[in-house]
Amino acid sequence: MTPAAGEALAAAEVIVGYQTYLDLIPEFLAGKEVIASQMMKEVDRCRKALDLAAEGKKVALVSGGDPGIYAMAGLVFEMAREQNASVDIEVIAGIAALNACAARLGAPLMHDFAAISLSDLLTPWEKIERRLEAAAAADFVVVIYNPKSKKRAEHIVKAREILLAHRDPETPVGIVTAATRENERIVLTTLAKMLESEIDMQTTIIVGNSMTFAWQGFMVTPRGYAAKYAL
Amino acid sequence: MTPAAGEALAAAEVIVGYQTYLDLIPEFLAGKEVIASQMMKEVDRCRKALDLAAEGKKVALVSGGDPGIYAMAGLVFEMAREQNASVDIEVIAGIAALNACAARLGAPLMHDFAAISLSDLLTPWEKIERRLEAAAAADFVVVIYNPKSKKRAEHIVKAREILLAHRDPETPVGIVTAATRENERIVLTTLAKMLESEIDMQTTIIVGNSMTFAWQGFMVTPRGYAAKYAL
């Protein structure tokens, strides 16, 4: 958490968030009105936060990772627009899963990359496939969000097939689950073998581009210095 | 800066970095060996950091933004591999330009996006064009790093042409320069008009996808809630 996020929490009168995240920041909750909710109630959480803000309260809506990357910031704006709400909104950047997972793996995001969510809850699967195909063909490093849930075990299988049509089976793949948390798991594998590792809802997967290499347990996408300078 | 980065700096015996970044963190430099260098000497900085680490010193190599996204982490690994260096390396994630710029603009990165650098210093321009084309055609939000330098004024012109071949001229475009710094500039414009705004080496540009909208000065890419739920 950045100092800016801490300052926003300290300045807030009401803190709204998913219970699991609020449990991580007890020191910021003392003396505040706290509204906790369960998973999958994000629409309710946003509505509550906007209602309270419209009443004139300073509200902090807590998001895991970076609220601006596949997270809560967008829903707040979508809903505020629908309601024609008259509230001041500020988004405070955080460490997204892609930042945290990249750091734990080494340096896979040194070159152009595409972030793609495999969740078809709000996006047609055909569009997701088209993006996988485009990213694979143009040699982007690919960051896969939401690779699997109980209801969607086959999406990551299909995604791997699309990538394999354009990349060497030995392409490094990093599989990071619950980055920086107590139950963190990090696996450095290959496109050929990636499905042998455990993948779940807390997992983010980074697939290297044609230049990415594995070195001493790290995954590195070179920027191209070695080709230009004597290192 | 995150607490993890602060702890690493506090634990370091030597701090190596670009002078402009070190000037931002004087409180971490007291009592340390400090090795500052100028822009474009990143190879020298990495070499020095690795040499000192090989001597057994705890070295912090300071990077702006997130060292893992188009920044210093990759060069450290590229060089360590070339040297067959025997040092422990840890990357600490930070707030990259894409995180900071997205937050300042609203919520443009709520859906799949591609990050593309227009610098052809270490990458053939043909490869960059191919990625722009792929990202534009597959309706990715596009984050453009290094849009312009004194020597490369025409790349952003060409990038815009490629995007315009696939997107509405009214597609929202966010132009953020020096995000969160004193000289921060934020412009919310459109693909049609984006070249009318000042763009320089400190600028990051975010081009919306086909769903991105502008609302009260913010740029928002909907996740798709409005289509699924009554907001």
Side-chain angles (χ1 to χ4, degrees), chain B residues 23-38:
Chain B
D23 287 345
L24 298 172
I25 52 166
E27 70 275 27
F28 288 101
L29 307 181
K32 311 275 187 186
E33 184 180 349
V34 176
I35 298 172
S37 75
Q38 298 306 315

Side-chain angles (χ1 to χ4, degrees), chain A:
Chain A
M1 188 193 290
T2 63
E7 285 162 23
L9 286 168
E13 296 163 289
V14 189
I15 294 179
V16 181
Y18 173 42
Q19 184 68 58
T20 304
Y21 295 142
L22 297 186
D23 287 345
L24 298 172
I25 52 166
E27 70 275 28
F28 289 101
L29 307 181
K32 310 275 187 186
E33 184 181 349
V34 176
I35 299 171
S37 76
Q38 298 306 314
M39 198 66 172
M40 296 307 295
K41 298 283 188 187
E42 63 262 38
V43 173
D44 295 340
R45 253 179 283 155
C46 279
R47 192 187 318 279
K48 190 73 189 172
L50 282 170
D51 287 350
L52 289 164
E55 289 172 17
K57 289 194 174 162
K58 277 196 178 177
V59 183
L61 179 62
V62 174
S63 174
D66 183 338
I69 297 194
Y70 291 117
M72 297 290 282
L75 179 53
V76 171
F77 286 108
E78 282 190 70
M79 192 173 283
R81 184 172 75 153
E82 289 292 321
Q83 298 180 352
N84 204 13
S86 177
V87 297
D88 292 325
I89 302 172
E90 184 185 5
V91 180
I92 295 171
I95 305 290
L98 66 87
N99 304 275
C101 296
R104 302 303 283 152
L105 289 166
L109 302 184
M110 284 302 110
H111 218 298
D112 303 333
F113 65 93
I116 303 175
S117 166
L118 300 193
S119 169
D120 62 352
L121 194 64
L122 301 171
T123 306
W125 174 250
E126 296 67 32
K127 189 157 197 172
I128 298 168
E129 268 199 0
R130 189 154 61 90
R131 287 179 178 159
L132 286 164
E133 175 68 32
D139 202 27
F140 282 98
V141 176
V142 179
V143 183
I144 298 176
Y145 273 75
N146 305 310
K148 205 178 197 177
S149 72
K150 282 171 190 165
K151 291 182 185 163
R152 298 177 294 103
E154 79 293 353
H155 287 183
I156 187 63
V157 177
K158 184 67 189 163
R160 175 178 165 274
E161 279 171 20
I162 292 169
L163 287 156
L164 263 175
H166 297 275
R167 306 248 164 120
D168 192 301
E170 294 309 304
T171 301
V173 172
I175 300 177
V176 181
T177 303
T180 75
R181 303 221 177 123
E182 267 184 20
N183 56 331
E184 179 184 79
R185 293 196 312 272
I186 301 171
V187 175
L188 179 56
T189 179
T190 61
L191 257 184
K193 294 184 177 167
M194 64 177 275
L195 296 181
E196 296 170 15
S197 298
E198 197 177 332
I199 295 169
D200 64 32
M201 281 183 64
Q202 292 187 74
T203 303
T204 303
I205 299 175
I206 301 184
V207 179
N209 69 15
S210 61
M211 305 293 286
T212 304
F213 61 82
W215 178 75
Q216 297 200 351
F218 292 108
M219 175 177 178
V220 181
T221 302
R223 188 87 180 87
Y225 286 97
K228 186 151 180 124
Y229 305 101
L231 297 185

Side-chain angles (χ1 to χ4, degrees), chain B residues 26-224:
Chain B
E27 70 275 27
F28 288 101
L29 307 181
K32 311 275 187 186
E33 184 180 349
V34 176
I35 298 172
S37 75
Q38 298 306 315
M39 198 65 170
M40 295 308 294
K41 299 284 187 187
E42 63 261 38
V43 172
D44 295 339
R45 253 180 282 156
C46 277
R47 191 189 317 281
K48 190 73 190 172
L50 283 169
D51 287 351
L52 290 165
E55 288 172 17
K57 290 195 173 163
K58 276 196 179 178
V59 183
L61 179 62
V62 174
S63 174
D66 183 338
I69 296 193
Y70 291 116
M72 298 288 283
L75 179 55
V76 171
F77 286 109
E78 281 190 71
M79 193 173 280
R81 185 172 75 153
E82 288 292 322
Q83 298 180 351
N84 204 15
S86 178
V87 297
D88 291 326
I89 302 172
E90 185 185 4
V91 180
I92 296 171
I95 305 289
L98 66 85
N99 303 277
C101 295
R104 301 303 282 153
L105 289 166
L109 302 184
M110 283 302 110
H111 218 299
D112 303 333
F113 65 93
I116 303 174
S117 166
L118 299 193
S119 169
D120 62 352
L121 195 64
L122 301 170
T123 306
W125 174 250
E126 295 67 32
K127 189 157 198 172
I128 298 168
E129 268 199 0
R130 189 155 60 92
R131 288 179 177 159
L132 286 164
E133 174 68 32
D139 202 26
F140 282 98
V141 176
V142 179
V143 183
I144 298 176
Y145 273 75
N146 305 310
K148 205 179 198 177
S149 72
K150 282 173 192 166
K151 291 184 187 166
R152 299 177 293 100
E154 80 293 353
H155 287 182
I156 187 63
V157 177
K158 183 68 188 161
R160 174 177 165 275
E161 280 170 19
I162 293 169
L163 287 156
L164 263 177
H166 297 275
R167 305 247 166 121
D168 192 301
E170 294 309 304
T171 301
V173 171
I175 300 177
V176 181
T177 302
T180 76
R181 301 217 180 129
E182 268 184 20
N183 55 332
E184 178 184 79
R185 291 196 314 270
I186 301 171
V187 175
L188 180 55
T189 178
T190 61
L191 258 183
K193 295 185 178 167
M194 64 178 275
L195 296 181
E196 297 171 15
S197 297
E198 196 177 332
I199 294 168
D200 64 32
M201 281 183 66
Q202 292 188 73
T203 304
T204 303
I205 299 175
I206 302 184
V207 179
N209 70 13
S210 60
M211 306 292 286
T212 304
F213 61 82
W215 178 74
Q216 297 200 350
F218 293 108
M219 175 177 176
V220 181
T221 302
R223 187 89 181 89

